[in-house]
Amino acid sequence: MLKVLKFGGTSVGTLDRIQNVAQIIKKIKDEGHDVIAIVSAMSGETNKLIEYAETYTKVPVAHEMDMLLSSGERVTSALLSIALNAIGYPATSMSGREAGIVTDASFMKARIQSIDTTNMKNAIKAGKVVIVAGFQGVTEQNRVTTLGRGGSDLTAVAIAGAIEADVCEIYTDVDGIYTTDPRIEPKAKKLEKISYDEMLELASLGAKVLQNRSVEMAKKLNVNLVSRSSFTPEVEGTLITKEENIMEKPLVSGIALDKNQVRVGMYGVTDKPGIAATIFTALANANINVDMIVQTVGVDGKTDLDFTIPTTDLEACKTVMNTFAQQARNIDYNDSICKVSVVGVGMKSHTGVASKAFTALAKENINIRIISTSEIKISMIVEEKYAELAVRSLHEAYDLDK
Ligand code: ADP
Ligand code: ASP
Ligand code: MG
């Protein structure tokens, strides 16, 4: 089999952990498989590099950030290759460029456009383990790009799809996908399988165990995706698969929490057609991910507009919103909020799922600021100080600990 394995930050967080990864790969090679391993930077490294840059400015030049951030993954890829060669397993490391990954030019959140797998295939044919620095590619003009936070997951899935690997295993510090983050709710239960769609919702709504774009790509390319632990590699993980491969569909599969959200309020806007279109077009052009949107009209005929954005887009959002300052009474930014979400395919065919969530939060006296729903999720904005309490009470309300 050809296996694509990805090792996240904590899995390569120290020299000993890298040695541990070399041992995991050695075992898989000994079983007769070919291996392409994608690595993240050592845990904390990317954050440290961002902090370095931010000592100079809050809005560093984006392509320089990519030059900086991509270095973390190159360090671990080379170290892992050195460790493997040292124990007698020929390996070769590749940067995103050498692995043939071409992206568009949206620096810091680039999209993969194509992968030329020739170099990887040749190295595999020569009997080598291929180690790819995750999270990066190059533009057609040969500038280094990065794929957004958590982007090594995407590198792994995209390579697995392009090279038609038999499986893509994402090794992290938990042994699979749980009904909620086990660090918040120790009673969370591990799922044996979860559908692409539910995993995509959980990941998009804050469960960083898998990057959302990687799940989207796995679904599109039909990649057999497994989440498992490099700390307990003998334990089977969770399979992320097509909905029809899951026999028993739970009503609710999991609860997600996203603390990296800001609520933007634009108050007292003159109510006329086109105002929302103008604002949200400007935000979209600036590549800002706007999520929940609520528009209400006050008694004075003026409109209030509330929406949420990721914290990482705050500076860019302020720049855009400042151009509309004249058109509103005031604009404010509240980052002491969070988004809690309930996800489950079973919601499609059941009623009363949403009211159960509202009741659970009401019981704890947690005020819900914004609600949005889709076919398979309910999201609620609450004060950040209630984040963990909200997750636990929802987890209990849907009997996910049973
Ligand atoms: P890596 O560095 O390996 O990419 P991440 O820190 O990005 O790992 O993701 C793993 C973390 O995701 C876990 O430590 C866990 O706290 C968190 N997590 C959030 N939601 C879930 C969930 N539903 N199931 C498992 N882990 C989750
Ligand atoms: N090192 C990058 C990050 O911390 C990419 C990754 O780990 O997937 O976001
Ligand atoms: Mg991650």
Side-chain angles (χ1 to χ4, degrees), residues 86-139:
I87 57 171
Y89 285 71
T92 180
S93 67
M94 296 185 187
S95 64
R97 182 201 312 268
E98 289 165 299
I101 302 173
V102 175
T103 72
D104 65 11
S106 354
F107 296 98
M108 297 180 75
K109 36 177 147 178
R111 295 195 154 261
I112 297 178
Q113 288 180 330
S114 64
I115 302 183
D116 177 352
T117 55
T118 315
N119 276 350
M120 289 188 282
K121 278 186 180 146
N122 287 341
I124 294 280
K125 252 188 235 146
K128 291 185 178 165
V129 175
V130 174
I131 318 280
V132 180
F135 174 56
Q136 57 187 278
V138 285
T139 64

Side-chain angles (χ1 to χ4, degrees), residues 146-207:
T146 61
L147 309 178
R149 296 309 302 268
S152 298
D153 293 344
L154 181 62
T155 306
V157 172
I159 288 178
I163 210 156
E164 295 179 357
D166 297 282
V167 65
C168 178
E169 301 186 331
I170 309 286
Y171 285 81
T172 180
D173 54 2
V174 280
D175 59 7
I177 310 298
Y178 281 69
T179 46
T180 194
D181 189 339
R183 286 178 212 285
I184 298 176
E185 174 53 280
K187 286 188 225 150
K189 290 274 181 295
K190 189 167 109 184
L191 303 165
E192 192 198 331
K193 291 179 184 174
I194 183 168
S195 68
Y196 289 121
D197 288 331
E198 287 171 305
M199 191 63 236
L200 181 56
E201 287 288 359
L202 286 175
S204 307
L205 295 166

